[in-house]
Amino acid sequence: FGIRQLDILDDNFNFDQTRAKQILELIIAKDYDLAINMQNGMRADNADSELLDKMKKAGIFKISFGIESADPVIQKRIKKKLDLDKALFTTREAQRRNIIVYTNSILGLPGDTPESMQRTIDFAIKMAPDIANFMIALPLPGTELYEEIKTNGRFLIPIENGVEKGFYAHKVFYELGSMRAHEVLRYYRKAYQKFYSRISWFLLSIKNIRSLNELMWFKDAIIDLTKNIIFK
C-alpha cells in the first residue's frame, strides 16, 4: 500500500518472545522500506539482545515501556511485578541500537504515598528514556480499582460515562485511604519538572532532531508541558 510508517498496538507483543521473534523475522524477510513504531507499552523486562537486534533490523525505531510504579509494594498491589534491573538493561540496550525509548509511569495508584511516588520519579530519571510520560491513575468502570473506590474511597470526578482526555486530563479522579488529591498533583508536576529540567535530556533531544517538522513538534511539546502541567 506504499505506507511509510506502521504503528503496532499490542501491549503483549513480547509476552511470548519466540512468537515475537518469528513475527519480526517475517517482517525482515519482506525487506520493507518501512519505519515501525511499537508505541503502546511493551514488557520492559522480557526482551533479550536477540529480540532487540531483530526489532532494529525489522525497522522498529521507537518502543514504549509500561513501568507504572517503581515501588515494590505498589507493584505487588497492582499485580505488575516488573523486574526493574531488567527494565534498565532493556532501555540501555535499545538506546544503544538507536531505538527511541518512551516510558509510561502512573502516579496516584492505590496505596501510593509521597515516598512511593518519589521512587517512581527517581527511577524514571535513572532509566533516562528519551521521553517519559507520567499519568495519574484512572479508575475505569468495571476494574478492580473502580470497585475498590466505590466501597472504600470517594470519586472526585464522575467517570461513569467516561472522561474526555483520560490519562492526559491532568486531574486526580479519586481519593483512597490516606492518599490526597493535592499530594498526587504535587508529585505529578514534580515528576515532569525533575525529568525535563535536566540539561542532559535537553541536549539529547536536540541532538536527535532530524527535521524541521521534528523541531516544531519539540517546541510545541515544551510549550504544552510548561503551560499545562509544570506551571499550571
Side-chain angles (χ1 to χ4, degrees):
F1 297 98
I3 65 173
R4 297 171 59 190
Q5 178 174 317
L6 172 69
D7 285 15
I8 295 179
L9 303 175
D10 184 357
D11 282 331
N12 293 309
F13 180 79
N14 64 327
F15 178 77
D16 182 341
Q17 280 206 60
T18 300
R19 174 181 176 273
K21 290 172 184 177
Q22 289 172 344
I23 292 171
L24 293 170
E25 287 166 1
L26 290 168
I27 294 173
I28 292 167
K30 291 288 186 180
D31 195 27
Y32 295 120
D33 183 16
L34 185 65
I36 300 176
N37 178 10
M38 190 77 66
Q39 71 167 4
N40 70 319
M42 286 176 51
R43 185 81 188 187
D45 58 358
N46 192 39
D48 59 19
S49 295
E50 182 186 3
L51 179 67
L52 293 169
D53 285 338
K54 291 182 185 296
M55 292 175 73
K56 180 65 177 179
K57 194 171 182 180
I60 292 173
F61 72 95
K62 186 176 83 176
I63 55 180
S64 177
F65 295 140
I67 304 302
E68 280 55 274
S69 174
D71 185 273
V73 174
I74 304 302
Q75 276 203 23
K76 184 176 181 180
R77 180 148 184 196
I78 65 173
K79 305 173 185 176
K80 180 70 179 182
K81 299 179 182 178
L82 181 73
D83 187 320
L84 297 178
D85 289 334
K86 287 184 178 179
L88 283 173
F89 169 82
T90 305
T91 299
R92 300 286 180 270
E93 289 297 299
Q95 290 175 323
R96 191 169 65 82
R97 291 163 173 79
N98 293 318
I99 297 174
I100 296 169
V101 176
Y102 278 50
T103 59
N104 302 296
S105 301
I106 302 177
L107 302 174
L109 288 163
D112 250 336
T113 63
E115 292 77 19
S116 65
M117 289 187 283
Q118 186 63 55
R119 287 190 191 97
T120 297
I121 296 169
D122 292 342
F123 183 74
I125 292 171
K126 181 179 181 179
M127 203 171 182
D130 298 87
I131 297 289
N133 289 317
F134 300 95
M135 289 155 278
I136 296 174
L138 174 59
L140 295 171
T143 62
E144 290 183 26
L145 176 56
Y146 183 86
E147 296 302 320
E148 184 177 358
I149 296 164
K150 279 176 62 177
T151 304
N152 300 315
R154 69 186 185 106
F155 291 98
L156 304 178
I157 299 172
I159 61 171
E160 289 80 3
N161 297 317
V163 288
E164 183 181 354
K165 295 184 178 180
F167 289 107
Y168 299 99
H170 315 311
K171 296 178 180 178
V172 179
F173 296 93
Y174 72 95
E175 289 183 337
L176 181 67
S178 61
M179 183 181 69
R180 292 294 171 262
H182 70 275
E183 285 274 78
V184 176
L185 275 175
R186 184 162 74 89
Y187 278 87
Y188 175 65
R189 295 192 179 107
K190 183 179 182 181
Y192 279 101
Q193 289 169 349
K194 293 295 184 182
F195 188 89
Y196 288 104
S197 64
R198 295 174 301 123
I199 295 297
S200 59
W201 174 82
F202 187 81
L203 293 176
L204 176 64
S205 300
I206 293 294
K207 179 183 176 182
N208 287 339
I209 290 175
R210 294 163 293 182
S211 68
L212 180 60
N213 284 339
E214 285 191 358
L215 178 60
M216 297 306 294
W217 174 88
F218 181 76
K219 175 183 72 69
D220 291 343
I222 292 297
I223 291 172
D224 181 69
L225 183 68
T226 54
K227 182 174 68 174
N228 292 319
I229 301 176
I230 293 179
F231 297 114
K232 187 174 181 180

